[in-house]
Amino acid sequence: MQRAVARVLCGTWAPPVRALSAAAGPPPRGLLYERHGEPADVVQLKELELPALGRSDVLIKMLAAPINPADINMIQGTYALLAPLPAVAGSEGVGRVLEVGPGVVALSPGDCIIPADAGLGTWRTHAVLPEDSLLRVPDGVPLLCAATLSVNPCTALRMLTDFESLAPGDSVIQNAANSGVGQAVIQIAKAMGIRTVNVVRSRPDLPQLVERLLALGADHVVTEDALRKPEMKEIFKSIPKPRLALNCVGGKSTTEMLRHLQPKGTMVTYGGMAKQPVTVPVSAFIFRDVRLRGFWMTQWKKDHAHAVLASLWGTPAGWSHQGQRGYSTHVLTPGLTPAAHHHQCDFSNAWT
């Protein structure tokens, strides 16, 4: 039932949609900030005035938009990419095309779209945007999966394929394994035949979290405190030490995780949730020749043509079509009210 409703919302089973104007309904609104600071202090819900629809423009109605850590950092003014102020918050989401300009060729009313670039301002009810800033979502992708398609699963895929030539039977270790990227890593790695060692923080509901990650396909789930304990040796009796480590935390968690990396292995940092530097023992460089790399999905998009990006998104979209597994995120729905969703997005069918 959930998949059916999502397909209707995304246009797969929807009746023909005629061109509409945002003026036909309530005035467009958005979550706007005029200065940087803590979101609770600077973000305001305001009515927005839409520009006239240009020749190559598209009028869209936003259907859902996630709340990512990068969105919070952009509002705070601490992110590498900052929108000119005043700005509508949000960089990711899914919308439906309501009306197109006469020069638009690739989109039609009723299509679902996602932003091609970060910083477009997705926390709004409606927007008028250039056609080349949008990508059409393939039919059949559930609504909430489409809303979270362009960042987390794509980040997971690129990190698993761009830094080490992993083969079935190899292993990967990652912290923040319960994050959106972490859960996508688990599912994609499982489909590739790659074993995962997943590090999470201790918490009261740890057994439930472990059970959920194992259900997604995780091979091992350990806490940060366990990284220096003998149980890690037991894990690596059954699987090889990882050739790839994925770091989203920084600080002590990264240092401890690095100890389990194979000689000449690679650690990729794509986040810094602990707001602490990555500290690496000199011996790891001298005696084990480990490699430290960084990854930023926004930069990857800049470095690759949108045609390449569209073909990449076609693959995660295909995985999520099955809707058999899921991950949790916070999503804004048309009322611009945040809510936690555990939604069905299967990223495990990439290589089958």
Side-chain angles (χ1 to χ4, degrees), residues 289-305:
D289 191 20
V290 298
R291 300 174 178 88
L292 302 185
R293 300 288 302 275
F295 182 79
W296 186 29
M297 192 70 212
T298 300
Q299 186 63 50
W300 192 93
K301 293 178 186 179
K302 292 179 181 178
D303 294 342
H304 296 77

Side-chain angles (χ1 to χ4, degrees), residues 10-343:
C10 244
T12 309
W13 296 344
V17 179
R18 64 182 176 88
L20 298 173
S21 169
R29 298 187 300 167
L31 291 170
L32 189 81
Y33 58 101
E34 299 176 339
R35 59 185 176 88
H36 294 124
E38 292 304 313
D41 298 329
V42 301
V43 175
Q44 295 179 306
L45 180 61
K46 291 190 173 184
E47 292 186 3
L48 303 176
E49 183 176 347
L50 295 182
L53 192 68
R55 177 175 176 80
S56 299
D57 289 341
V58 179
L59 171 64
I60 62 171
K61 176 182 179 180
M62 291 303 300
L63 302 177
I67 304 173
N68 288 318
D71 298 324
I72 304 302
N73 295 151
M74 290 181 71
I75 296 169
Q76 293 169 330
T78 60
Y79 201 58
L81 174 68
L82 298 178
L85 298 178
V88 176
S91 291
E92 193 181 20
V94 61
R96 178 183 290 147
V97 176
L98 298 182
E99 190 174 349
V100 299
V104 173
V105 295
L107 296 173
S108 301
D111 287 344
C112 276
I113 55 85
I114 53 179
D117 297 302
L120 286 185
T122 56
W123 295 3
R124 63 173 86 202
T125 59
H126 298 80
V128 172
L129 297 169
E131 179 188 17
D132 61 7
S133 68
L134 305 170
L135 291 174
R136 183 181 180 277
V137 177
D139 293 340
V141 179
L143 176 74
L144 295 181
C145 297
T148 57
L149 183 64
S150 62
V151 176
N152 292 336
C154 291
T155 297
L157 176 64
R158 296 265 54 93
M159 293 194 299
L160 285 171
T161 56
D162 288 0
F163 296 95
E164 288 284 343
S165 298
L166 299 174
D170 287 340
S171 71
V172 172
I173 188 170
Q174 64 166 342
N175 54 25
N178 57 317
S179 67
V181 171
Q183 293 174 74
V185 165
I186 290 170
Q187 297 178 68
I188 297 172
K190 184 74 172 181
M192 297 170 66
I194 297 168
R195 315 291 292 274
T196 56
V197 180
N198 302 279
V199 184
V200 298
R201 290 179 296 178
S202 297
R203 64 196 68 208
D205 62 343
L206 182 62
Q208 291 88 345
L209 175 59
V210 171
E211 182 179 358
R212 181 157 60 84
L213 295 183
L214 292 175
L216 288 179
D219 293 286
H220 300 278
V221 182
V222 300
T223 64
E224 292 179 340
D225 296 335
L227 285 175
R228 294 200 66 143
K229 293 183 178 179
E231 66 185 82
M232 296 302 296
K233 294 182 179 179
E234 294 300 316
I235 289 176
F236 295 121
K237 286 181 180 179
S238 59
I239 65 173
K241 283 202 167 187
R243 294 172 54 192
L244 179 67
L246 305 178
N247 167 47
C248 183
V249 178
K252 182 180 178 181
S253 171
T254 304
T255 306
E256 298 298 338
M257 188 171 64
L258 190 66
R259 299 179 190 277
H260 301 289
L261 197 62
Q262 279 190 27
K264 299 185 182 298
T266 301
M267 183 174 74
V268 181
T269 293
Y270 67 98
M273 300 302 293
K275 297 183 179 180
Q276 296 175 359
V278 173
T279 304
V280 181
V282 173
S283 59
F285 288 117
I286 297 175
F287 303 119
R288 294 169 50 223
D289 191 20
V290 298
R291 300 174 178 88
L292 302 185
R293 300 288 302 275
F295 182 79
W296 186 29
M297 192 70 212
T298 300
Q299 186 63 50
W300 192 93
K301 293 178 186 179
K302 292 179 181 178
D303 294 342
H304 296 77
H306 285 165
V308 177
L309 191 59
S311 66
L312 167 68
W313 279 345
T315 304
W319 310 336
S320 63
H321 176 79
Q322 299 299 320
Q324 296 171 357
R325 293 185 176 140
Y327 66 90
S328 298
T329 188
H330 285 81
V331 177
L332 291 172
T333 51
L336 296 177
T337 302
H341 291 273
H342 178 74
H343 54 89

